[in-house]
Every structure is written in C-alpha cells, then in structure tokens.
Amino acid sequence: MLEKTPAAAVTAPGSTAPAPPALRRRLLAELLGSAGLAMTVIGSGIMATRLTDEPGLQLLINALVTAMALPVLIACLAPIGGAHLNPAVSLVMALRRELPPREALAYAGAQVLGCLSGAVVAHLQFGLPAGQLATTARLSGPTLLAEAIATAGLVAVILLLIAARRPLVIAPAVGAYIGAAYFVTSSTSFANPAITIGRMASDTYAGIAPLDGLGFIGAQLVGALLGMLVVRLLVGRPAARSADSQP
C-alpha cells in the first residue's frame, strides 16, 4: 500500500529510478499477501470461537490479530508490488494513474485468488472442510453504510500518508486503522472486496453469505471512490512524476 506499485528506491539526483519488479513477481506478492491476510482473518476467527464463547472477546481476538499481522504483510511485500492486498486500493491507484488499468485488473485477480486460497489453508489448519459456503447474514442498511465509511477511511489514510510523503508510516497506520474499525463500524470493517470474497467461502466466525457479500463489495467500491474524492479535496490532485524523480 505504498505510494507506487513497485518499490520506491531512493535514488541520487539526476539518476534513473530502478525498473519495477516484473509483473509476475508483483502478482505473486499480491497473491501471497492476500492469502496471508485471509488466513489471518479467518484463522483467528476460528481460534477465537474455540477459545471462548464471549462475543466481545471473540471480536477482540479477531481484531487484534488482524491489526498485528497486516502491518507485517505490508512492510514485507510493499517493496515488491506495493502491498495493495485490496482491489479497492488497486482501483484507486489505477484511477490516479499510478497503476495501468490492465495491471490493476491483474492485481485484483491475484488478490481474490489469494484470499480464496487463504480461506482454504485456514480451514485445513483447523480440521475443517477445505471448501465451504458461508451462511452468516450481515447485510443491512447500517452495515452497507459502515462498509462504505470503513473503505473510504482506509483509502483516505493511505492517500493522505502518500501525499505527506510518509510511506513508512502506512503499514502501522493501516493496521491500527483496521484494528480500530473492527469496533467502530457495525460491519466490523471488511473494507476489502477480495477478503469479502474469501470470507464468502468460509462458514465460520468470519464468514458472510454470498449475496450479502456482493452488497458489501458494492459499498466498498463506493467508499473507495469517496475516500479518493475526499483526499483530492484536502490535498489536490497527485503531482505528476518524472521517470527519474524520487517518489
């Protein structure tokens, strides 16, 4: 979730910026990172329900584990592919002309595949069937509003830190934001179409019924656009970058 899709290496004045990693490496990073994210969200939910019957404590475990794991994934994978791990983020980067549209679509595909793979791995670790279809109903007017707000906030956090040229703060900031948003929003802040699809394939604590998930995805995409608009109003359009400029 850093400023540019490839690694943003520091270069000397007048020097040429290094070429970004090959697309296949960036896509692999997105796939593995998304798999790790889904395994974290779903696996910690399963573990939470096995440790306690208290709903508040279950949510706390789920939120805390996600808030700890997400910064690690971003910090490790951002130098390779930007660590979007989220089609909503990739969409915004494409709209900002920081990621070619075709690559944004490829990113989204890798992210969805990664989250589905992570769901399978989480199930297998806990002795559950690899393939499941979630039955948990979550869709309502308030949860749709919550998903739009949660995704708008996530996108705004990332873009505002990019505008402030503080890329190293993005990983911990995103983890803290998502951890807090678990409790602030009525939807528990999915804020990610790929993880929503992964959770559709898990009839566990983190699951969401497929039709409800589609509604969440629509709200998330609206929220991503809203977050981008808010940041544009706050800081203006992103400055054009030359090939040899430092991000």
Side-chain angles (χ1 to χ4, degrees), residues 35-45 62 65-70 73 118 122:
L37 176 59
M39 188 176 69
T40 296
V41 172
I42 295 170
S44 64
N62 200 208
V65 172
T66 303
M68 291 189 298
L70 189 52
L73 292 171

Side-chain angles (χ1 to χ4, degrees), residues 94-157:
L95 292 174
R96 285 164 55 93
R97 298 183 180 180
E98 297 184 12
L99 186 66
R102 289 185 179 180
E103 293 190 7
L105 287 174
Y107 266 49
Q111 292 153 1
V112 170
L113 180 59
C115 284
L116 288 171
S117 301
V120 170
V121 172
H123 293 164
L124 294 177
Q125 287 187 93
F126 287 93
L128 299 176
Q132 294 185 345
L133 195 62
T135 58
T136 304
R138 297 180 185 266
L139 186 64
S140 67
T143 56
L144 286 178
L145 176 61
E147 277 303 291
I149 292 172
T151 312
L154 174 63
V155 167
V157 166

Side-chain angles (χ1 to χ4, degrees), residues 201-220:
S202 181
D203 196 20
T204 62
Y205 177 81
I208 180 171
L211 289 179
D212 291 20
L214 293 177
F216 269 42
I217 290 170
Q220 291 157 4

